[in-house]
Amino acid sequence: MTHPISYRLANIDDVLTICELGQTLNAIHHVARPDIFTDATTEFGRDIMHWLSSLQDEDRATFLAERGSKAVGFVTVQVVKSLSPILQPMVVGRIGSIAVSELFRGSRVGSTLMKIAEGWALEHGAADMRLAVWEFNQQAVDFYQELGYEIRAFEMGKRVQTSADLAVNGLVEASSE
């Protein structure tokens, strides 16, 4: 018998499950930007501190998708109130991370998790939803756009060279200290 997918609010006891599912995100990001993201690991406990706030803080929630007793996806969401005098006063729902096991991609698990997160944010006063996605992750960009998200801003970055990097490249003299 095939079990249907069920969805629930995650709790602190789910942290290792979320760490394990998060490795799919780690792998995608590490392959594209190993200079920024660490490699995926089987030592899931390494990431506990990263995910704990999504399970404990009142302004955040994590939802799990499960098939039977096996977790197949999760999404993290947070509500944030703008406090800047130059911005319209607004409560915003922010998607932090979403991960779906490879076997369940394309089965509406991700879009259902997003709808649940959006519903939670709406219940907590959000008037707008936002998220950040890396330019290299076109599959995610397409997914979000299919759900009605639009590109509103770009974050740009540049790696700067330290004095040691410049010395190695012969652009400055090495320090004699």
Side-chain angles (χ1 to χ4, degrees), residues 7-79:
Y7 300 86
R8 67 174 176 84
L9 184 64
N11 61 57
I12 198 159
D13 295 332
D14 298 311
V15 70
L16 283 177
T17 299
I18 292 164
C19 288
E20 182 177 2
L21 283 167
Q23 295 311 305
T24 60
L25 298 174
N26 265 25
I28 291 166
H29 289 80
H30 175 73
V31 166
R33 293 301 305 258
D35 58 316
I36 296 173
F37 295 97
T38 60
D39 202 358
T41 180
T42 56
E43 298 295 325
F44 309 130
R46 171 195 78 176
D47 300 339
I48 287 174
M49 294 307 294
H50 176 78
W51 298 111
L52 271 180
S53 67
S54 296
L55 296 165
Q56 293 178 314
D57 293 351
E58 284 185 28
D59 65 342
R60 300 170 191 217
T62 299
F63 295 93
L64 276 178
E66 297 174 312
R67 185 172 191 193
S69 61
K70 175 81 172 149
V72 298
F74 76 89
V75 64
T76 66
V77 60
Q78 174 181 14
V79 288

Side-chain angles (χ1 to χ4, degrees), residues 136-174:
F136 63 76
N137 196 348
Q138 190 60 49
Q139 184 178 11
V141 171
D142 294 343
F143 169 72
Y144 297 131
Q145 287 180 325
E146 286 172 15
L147 296 177
Y149 287 77
E150 61 191 3
I151 296 172
R152 294 183 178 170
F154 294 98
E155 177 179 302
M156 298 177 73
K158 174 184 174 183
R159 185 172 180 167
V160 293
Q161 293 184 320
T162 65
S163 298
D165 292 334
L166 294 171
V168 168
N169 294 326
L171 298 175
V172 297
E173 288 187 34

Side-chain angles (χ1 to χ4, degrees), residues 123-138:
E123 288 173 10
H124 287 81
D128 196 52
M129 292 298 296
R130 299 183 186 163
L131 56 83
V133 61
W134 283 85
E135 175 271 332
F136 63 76
N137 196 348
Q138 190 60 49

Side-chain angles (χ1 to χ4, degrees), residues 45-120:
R46 171 195 78 176
D47 300 339
I48 287 174
M49 294 307 294
H50 176 78
W51 298 111
L52 271 180
S53 67
S54 296
L55 296 165
Q56 293 178 314
D57 293 351
E58 284 185 28
D59 65 342
R60 300 170 191 217
T62 299
F63 295 93
L64 276 178
E66 297 174 312
R67 185 172 191 193
S69 61
K70 175 81 172 149
V72 298
F74 76 89
V75 64
T76 66
V77 60
Q78 174 181 14
V79 288
V80 179
K81 296 175 185 157
S82 65
L83 300 174
S84 172
I86 65 170
L87 296 175
Q88 295 292 341
M90 182 185 306
V91 177
V92 174
R94 283 202 151 292
I95 300 297
S97 296
I98 182 169
V100 175
S101 297
E102 295 256 354
L103 293 173
F104 292 88
R105 291 192 187 150
S107 65
R108 313 286 308 155
V109 170
S111 58
T112 301
L113 283 166
M114 290 291 288
K115 286 180 184 164
I116 291 168
E118 290 168 3
W120 180 89

